[in-house]
Amino acid sequence: DVKVTQSSRYLVKRTGEKVFLECVQDMDHENMFWYRQDPGLGLRLIYFSYDVKMKEKGDIPEGYSVSREKKERFSLILESASTNQTSMYLCASSASGVSAEGYTFGSGTRLTVV
Amino acid sequence: GESVGLHLPTLSVQEGDNSIINCAYSNSASDYFIWYKQESGKGPQFIIDIRSNMDKRQGQRVTVLLNKTVKHLSLQIAATQPGDSAVYFCAEIFYGQNFVFGPGTRLSVLP
């Protein structure tokens, strides 16, 4: 089974802090994605990456950046956390030529910014 | 398009009854659709998918119906069980790799 592991389940950070959310997948997938999930709004794509050192903006990249130095790891960075970034963050990965069953999510990181 | 609202629609059903969860999609170019189940504290899990050239697909206790005329997708769960309690949401995929997710529906199974 593909495993997508997010390093933290719950995080509490202060406004203005720099925050790193880590995601690691173990199936040699090319594609990795970061979403945030808010009630009533569904999953919204923040950033994605189709290869090492490549990144593309999703629908809501403002206030975020990403890093993909290794194929298995995709990091989401909040340069200066704000309260409106309190949310559930989900990482996903897939192989190229994605099939739905190969698109796998991590368990999520619930971030609270106070 | 973007969803609005800060609350999640909720569907409550009696254990043993059938559940029907609905989803409207927006892009007529979408050629692939998925239903996900997300239990509390977990990431979304794939349940069933359907391609746009089909109008019905059945799995174990689940059926997905696709009506392209009105851009509507539904998930039917037969004999709903307590373990089915979760948030369910649909995804439409177009151009092979662009995912758009619905806002989700919370299913509560009553004893």
Side-chain angles (χ1 to χ4, degrees):
Chain A
D1 276 357
V2 176
K3 253 196 177 164
V4 178
T5 303
Q6 294 182 232
S7 54
S8 304
R9 290 291 297 275
Y10 299 95
L11 277 179
V12 180
K13 296 292 181 180
R14 293 193 182 278
T15 300
E17 275 194 76
K18 189 169 186 176
V19 182
F20 292 87
L21 302 184
E22 305 288 348
C23 176
V24 176
Q25 49 93 4
D26 65 0
M27 283 299 289
D28 202 36
H29 281 174
E30 291 81 10
N31 309 325
M32 296 188 75
F33 308 82
W34 273 108
Y35 293 89
R36 63 178 283 175
Q37 184 178 34
D38 300 289
L41 296 178
L43 275 73
R44 293 181 291 167
L45 182 63
I46 305 172
Y47 266 97
F48 59 101
S49 168
Y50 289 146
D51 203 351
V52 176
K53 296 196 186 292
M54 290 184 65
K55 59 185 179 183
E56 298 284 343
K57 292 181 180 178
D59 299 321
I60 51 162
E62 296 78 18
Y64 303 94
S65 62
V66 289
S67 172
R68 187 137 182 232
E69 296 297 317
K70 294 184 178 181
K71 192 175 186 179
E72 67 270 18
R73 186 180 295 271
F74 193 36
S75 303
L76 180 69
I77 303 156
L78 288 66
E79 294 289 341
S80 178
S82 63
T83 54
N84 64 11
Q85 292 178 309
T86 292
S87 186
M88 168 71 89
Y89 290 88
L90 286 163
C91 176
S93 75
S94 72
S96 289
V98 63
S99 68
E101 294 190 65
Y103 197 94
T104 303
F105 287 91
S107 295
T109 297
R110 187 167 293 281
L111 172 67
T112 302
V113 182
V114 297
Chain B
E2 288 291 326
S3 300
V4 296
L6 298 176
H7 65 278
L8 213 53
T10 299
L11 174 67
S12 298
V13 298
Q14 290 294 138
E15 183 178 352
D17 286 353
N18 296 336
S19 303
I20 301 175
I21 301 170
N22 297 304
C23 180
Y25 66 93
S26 56
N27 193 333
S28 55
S30 294
D31 52 11
Y32 198 24
F33 304 87
I34 311 162
W35 277 101
Y36 287 95
K37 174 185 181 182
Q38 187 175 18
E39 296 175 276
S40 181
K42 296 184 179 179
Q45 291 183 296
F46 173 95
I47 304 173
I48 192 168
D49 60 355
I50 188 167
R51 294 201 175 273
S52 60
N53 61 354
M54 304 169 70
D55 52 20
K56 182 179 180 178
R57 189 162 187 224
Q58 286 185 290
Q60 188 178 17
R61 279 202 310 119
V62 293
T63 301
V64 55
L65 299 177
L66 175 63
N67 185 331
K68 294 183 286 294
T69 303
V70 295
K71 297 200 192 78
H72 183 266
L73 195 65
S74 69
L75 176 71
Q76 300 178 3
I77 305 173
T80 313
Q81 302 168 0
D84 295 327
S85 292
V87 173
Y88 292 82
F89 57 91
C90 64
E92 56 179 309
I93 298 94
F94 53 94
Y95 308 136
Q97 59 187 13
N98 296 293
F99 280 66
V100 176
F101 295 91
T105 298
R106 186 180 305 280
L107 176 65
S108 288
V109 181
L110 307 173

